[in-house]
Amino acid sequence: MEEKYSSNVLSGGKLGMVEVPNSRLTRYIVLLIVTKVLKALGIFESYDILKVVHIVQFIFILKLGSAVILLFFQKPFSSGKVISKRQWIKLLKHAVFSCVISLLGFFGLTLCGPLRTLLLFEHSDVVVLALLGVLFTSSGGGPSKTRGAALFIIAVICILLFDNDDLMAKMAEHPEGHHDSALTHFLYTAIAFLGVADHKGGVVLLVASLCLKVGFHTVSRKLSVEIGGAKRLYALDNLVSAIVLLPWVIVLSLTTESKVESWSALILPFGMIILSVMILEFYVEAICNTKMEAPRCARYGAIALFLSALLLANFWTHPLTDQLRSMSKPPQQVSTEHVLSGGVIVSAIFFIMSSSILSSPSKKGHKGTLVGYSPEGTPLYNFMGDALQHTSQSLPRFIKESLKQILEEYDSRQIFYFLCLNLAFTFVELFYGAWTNSLGLISDGFHMLFDCSALVLGLFAALMTRWKATRIFSYGYGRVEILSGFINGLFLMVIAFFVFVESVTRVLDPPNINTDMLTPVSVGGLLVNLVGICAFSHAHSHGGKSCSSNDHGNSHHGHSHSEHSHGGHGHSHGGHGHGGHGGHGGHSGHGSHGHSHGSGGGGMNANMRGVYLHVLADTLGSVGVIISTILIRQFGWLIADPICSLFIATLIFLSVIPLLKDACEVLLLRSPPENEKELNIALEKIEKIEGVLSFRDPHFWRHSANVIAGTIHLQIMADVVEQRIIQQVTAILKDAGVNNLSVQVEKEAYFQHMSGLSTGFQEVLAMTQQMESIKYLKDGTCIM
Amino acid sequence: MLPLSVKDDEYKPAKFNLLLKLSGWFRSILADKTSRNLFFFLCLNLSFAFVELSYGIWSNSLGLISDSFHMFFDCTALLAGLAASVISRWRSNDSFSYGYVRAEVLAGFVNGLFLIFTAFFIFSEGVERALEPPDVHHDRLLPVSVAGLLVNLVGIFVFHHGGHGHSHGEEGHGHSHSLFNGSVNHDHQNKHGGHGHSHDEHGGHGGHEGHGGHGHSHGGHGHDEPHRHDELHTPGKGSSKQILQGVLLHIIADTLGSVGVIISALLMQKYDLMIADPICSMLIALLIGVSVVPLLRESIGILMQRTPPSLDHVLPECYQRVQQLQGVYNLQDPHFWTLCTDVYIGTLKLLVAPDADRRWILSQTHHVFTQAGVRQLYVQIDTADM
């Protein structure tokens, strides 16, 4: 019932229609949360009680108590249809199973402690079913569900492996210590036979019984329909299980003597447990499941339960709570409290995350963008383009694909390899530092790690540039490259500034530097960085050759050595003059990104330039450290170090400026400087086209390395075919490098119209400067 | 009719005339309220830093010197904001045909980035100190940080006030792109109404009926009065919310920093809680980082020519309305982007039936998109059988 129901609501929720606003549900949510907190409290209490009361007795009392209360509320015998004999037999089976499951659950509780039990056992069916669906069916509901399942499993493993509970160790030492019954003993031996510590056995037991519970719930749905309602079934079930357990309890009480001093002191806690764990939770969950969707209910419930369990676990053994619960505290307690370990906290967090992921409705179909409304008033969604791109991807597949993409392209490959080298060096340094316990090495390692962030940024940008244009980013993501170069440049500037400041303070007060360890590390760093520089400037020098052979871009020089022509960041230092735009022609094999690399020759691949500068700065830093170390050692010039850093900071600063300037110009929508001359020539040509009166407002700007967008307005004579003009203009401008052009053609009628409307020439003149907004007389626009 | 090239010398004054240039800058700074505020606050900050520096050198205390350098670094944010607010008022020219309005976005972006850097450094330092709490001498810390706090409070007051005024629309930002942007004017925020624009050419506006109310989408600054632009840039309009937001964030971050230092100094003095300092700084770093994210997001979106978020939900409807026009077969290649705050530019391509009324379609299309708030629209109309 639950599953069907939930999927119904989900399909409604997808369209955003059935989703009831939170405000109306607030009281149910509050009720649910309160119930869950109470339940956590009850479980903690029952853990305490279970230390003195035998588990079977405990369950018997629980079942009996709740059966009495439920009989009183539900009146299963007086109301509803008569139950046949076959149904009674089914009910009996049902009750036996429920007894077994509660036995397992509460036995797990005695083994693992309340917090872990709550974390492991109290998952709602929705979550577990989603989990099982992911694990055992091929289409588990998308990558997000897979992620949730992975989180769940990680959480279980965390509890299983990383939870070093002292109590567990203690109990493992004398597992035969306080076994009260044959059942317990049997379970203990079973767990011991499996060869795990009993705490871990408890975890396994709980997970198994969780699966059993969910299966049991699923099966019992049919029976509940037959019996006439889940509530009636629950009441009867409790009654029958109490009856089933009765003989066992009698036998037990006859054979073993109870540890309980006074049963009367236990009445209150039992009553509370019965109320909170058995009855209140059942009713509230039923109500919330009807009022809200089951997944939502499960999510809130799980979060409330786990959080309250964490809190309770923290404060349960606190002296203050001991005073509050002064009722019956068995004496041996202090030694056997389960402690709150880091592993449990981590796994609790993972459980919360996974249950919220797993219980969230699958987002299929939700991601379409609203296109509008059909004539009948139903909303229309668009599932194309970015909607598809933004669906959550499977993580491993994502990693694999992005790795493939990285290796596909020369630039990103270069960055990636260098990043790997850098990271390896860093980790070696870190490990060695940790091993020899030298703080200097460790901090240097962290510094290296920080430096890697620039590389990561560059890599990410190089990947992102290749993303296809979406509805939102309609020009594509080419600008990421420029932005990343800009950020890297800024980054370097900040670093240079700080180095500068620090070296100034050091000049004033040269510290005594410990030089003995510096040299090997800095030599190592220097080597790594030199490799980087070689790698990056290798491309640079080749690119330089190919690009310098022809200065301006529109001539297609088809160089076959496409690899080498990329990424010449170094050019920027020499001359930004040559816009290697022609280079792109040769690169057609590379798709769009190929262009961007080729244009590095023109100083356009800001990304690579940024990365290169970063590496260069690092290298300079290493060189400076080595030189100053040598100077300090040989001559004892302590001042050498700050002076070196000053020098280096200035050098970095100066080398970054061109990059920043270029990036700024692009970001400020400057017309591309390397095309400026051609554009001017093109504009002159346009003016000479027959029929063109004039043009105005030519905007040309570089969007990314391979997109130059432009708009221009033309005034043409009345008797000219606009289409021809548009085509000519487009061709001319395309030759000049503009590949995203829109031409707005205005006929002379426009001016006549204007002068008819307004009286003076001045106004017409003014209006021509505001022509964008005159819509009616625009005769045609052309975008290429 | 080669336009605008004559004005080149206005934004590029002759190099030798430094004094003139400086005074020109000075005047343009003082002309606008935002940049004036920025400038005064920058002066205040700089003087504070210099006092600190000279006092530090005099008393030979390294802590003060490094703190003053820190202050200088902070000043860069203000400087960036100031520069942007001046630059964004420069005219457009041949190279920068859209004008320099983007500078404000860029300034916001740079400020945000700087803040992120700062937050990162503070955080890492906090972690370092949390692992190994150093012995902070808190004797001189307090007065310096209190003074810094005061300075920053002044800044917050000024800019919050300024921002407030800004929201009233007394800075109808983006007047500098008026040259090309014609009558699609930016003063939808112009609640004052009285800018002294003489709308004498209302006949000219007769052609514009289609533009009613571009302001609507911006949440009802509904002033669709399209008025004309005089070439002279009316001073008093200036920078956008991005600059202000960035600067304000920066100052708030500084203030938070001072507050944190003061609190932790007090805690250390009273209770000897050495851990208070790193925890405070980490919290502050987190706070800064979180508060910067929206600014960064927005400015990156603009810089990357993202479709304006405020149009996100309006555009599909517009597309649909355009597609429902009689004779329109299809709509392709829509590009919409933000030039600077609230100035949206768009291009799109329509495939129409051979016998369709192109002008009607064109005007309707423009009408639809202007209502959505798109300032500048280029529509290419292709006939289907071509």
Side-chain angles (χ1 to χ4, degrees), chain A residues 370-371 373 450 471-472 474 479 668 671 676 699 701 703 763 767 772-773 775-776 778-779 781 783, chain B residues 95 97-98 103 120 180 182-183 201 207-208 211 303 305 307 316 320 335 348 359 362 366 376 379-380:
Chain A
L370 182 71
V371 178
Y373 296 91
F450 183 65
R471 189 180 65 85
I472 302 290
S474 53
R479 281 214 158 185
L668 285 176
S671 67
E676 210 154 26
H699 299 308
W701 46 276
H703 174 255
E763 279 76 17
M767 285 315 297
E772 274 89 347
S773 48
K775 275 95 191 189
Y776 300 111
K778 194 185 301 161
D779 288 285
T781 336
I783 307 164
Chain B
S95 298
S97 53
Y98 280 109
F120 183 81
F180 66 88
S183 66
E201 75 298 350
H208 294 250
H211 303 261
L303 288 178
Q305 319 281 69
T307 303
Q320 216 211 350
H335 295 297
L348 51 93
R359 288 190 187 185
L362 202 60
H366 276 279
Q376 233 184 331
V379 183
Q380 173 190 6

Side-chain angles (χ1 to χ4, degrees), chain A residues 61 109 309 430 455 462 600 767:
Chain A
I61 294 172
L109 175 65
L430 273 181
L455 286 177
M767 285 315 297

Side-chain angles (χ1 to χ4, degrees), chain A residues 515-590:
Chain A
T515 53
D516 41 332
M517 209 190 47
L518 277 173
T519 333
V521 173
S522 50
V523 167
L526 176 67
L527 283 182
V528 168
N529 283 323
L530 275 182
V531 169
I533 285 191
C534 280
F536 288 122
S537 62
H538 173 70
H540 147 66
S541 62
H542 280 265
K545 250 186 257 161
S546 69
C547 274
S548 53
S549 60
N550 45 7
D551 55 352
H552 275 300
N554 33 17
S555 62
H556 293 246
H557 57 270
H559 28 235
S560 56
H561 55 291
S562 51
E563 272 209 349
H564 300 288
S565 59
H566 301 287
H569 16 260
H571 292 303
S572 60
H573 313 308
H576 316 266
H578 31 236
H581 255 279
H584 310 320
H587 289 263
S588 52
H590 287 252

